[in-house]
Amino acid sequence: EAAVTQSPRSKVAVTGGKVTLSCHQTNNHDYMYWYRQDTGHGLRLIHYSYVADSTEKGDIPDGYKASRPSQENFSLILELASLSQTAVYFCASSVGTDGNTLYFGEGSRLIVV
Amino acid sequence: GQQVQQSPPASLVLQEGENAELQCTYSTTLNSMQWFYQRPGGRLVSLLYSPSWAEQRGGRLTSSAASNESRSSLHISSSQITDSGTYLCAMGLSGSFNKLTFGAGTRLAVCP
């Protein structure tokens, strides 16, 4: 079974503070993704990466940075957290392009106050 | 941008043993589809994936698609209480690194 683990699982952050969400996969997958899920909405892609030391913008990258220091690790960074960034964040990995299924982590619930 | 609409919207309640059909419609021509299952507060788990609009089967689950109608369906037969959760469909563009566009999901509750 593919394994994607996220930390922290839950966090309360102060507006304007810095938040780092971490993701680790043991699948030997090249592709990693960060999505956010809001109540009543589907998942939206924030950033993705297909190789270490390289990241790409997804559909909603504003206010977020990403870092891929190794194949196994992919972080999402909120330099200045805002109320609108309260959401559940999911990390995922996949083998490659064009339709391989995604393997998701358990999610990180972020509340910005 | 592309939009994915799921129905029934929001939620569906079934008696155990009943069948269910969930649908997904999308606004542009896409090349692949996936159905995911999510327990409350849990991770998404891929149920069925179809890269070529072929019908997919997995136990009590069947997905079918009509690309010319921009629609796909997930059929759940003989529902069980453990099927309760949220079902999300996702559509992908060919050659786009698995860039998926997700629907908002349908919450299914199966009652005894």
Side-chain angles (χ1 to χ4, degrees), chain B residues 81-100:
Chain B
I81 294 173
T82 52
D83 292 334
S84 299
T86 299
Y87 292 80
L88 297 95
C89 65
M91 304 296 184
L93 284 169
S94 178
S96 65
F97 68 86
N98 243 348
K99 182 178 179 180
L100 301 179

Side-chain angles (χ1 to χ4, degrees), chain A residues 2 4 9 31 33 35 37 40-43 45 48 58-59 90 94 96-106 109, chain B residues 31-32 34 36 38 41-46 49 51 86 88 93-105 107:
Chain A
V4 180
R9 292 293 315 282
Y31 285 75
Y33 315 82
Y35 286 88
Q37 184 177 37
H41 294 81
L43 276 72
L45 181 64
Y48 68 97
D59 296 325
F90 286 95
S94 68
T97 61
D98 206 9
N100 290 283
T101 192
L102 301 184
Y103 294 88
F104 281 87
E106 293 276 6
R109 181 176 297 275
Chain B
N31 293 80
S32 68
Q34 295 189 41
F36 291 87
Q38 183 181 30
R43 77 174 75 214
L44 281 77
V45 176
S46 180
Y49 162 69
T86 299
L88 297 95
L93 284 169
S94 178
S96 65
F97 68 86
N98 243 348
K99 182 178 179 180
L100 301 179
T101 300
F102 282 82
R107 183 173 298 176

Side-chain angles (χ1 to χ4, degrees), chain B residues 16-94:
Chain B
E16 191 175 14
E18 289 184 324
N19 300 329
E21 178 175 327
L22 310 179
Q23 292 199 350
C24 205
T25 58
Y26 48 95
S27 60
T28 61
T29 301
L30 300 168
N31 293 80
S32 68
M33 63 168 187
Q34 295 189 41
W35 284 92
F36 291 87
Y37 169 74
Q38 183 181 30
R39 287 204 182 279
R43 77 174 75 214
L44 281 77
V45 176
S46 180
L47 294 173
L48 294 169
Y49 162 69
S50 175
S52 58
W53 299 110
E55 182 178 278
Q56 299 294 320
R57 292 181 179 273
R60 295 182 293 105
L61 303 178
T62 303
S63 69
S64 58
S67 60
N68 59 335
E69 297 178 10
S70 303
R71 175 176 53 85
S72 70
S73 299
L74 177 69
H75 305 268
I76 304 173
S77 62
S78 303
S79 61
Q80 300 176 0
I81 294 173
T82 52
D83 292 334
S84 299
T86 299
Y87 292 80
L88 297 95
C89 65
M91 304 296 184
L93 284 169
S94 178

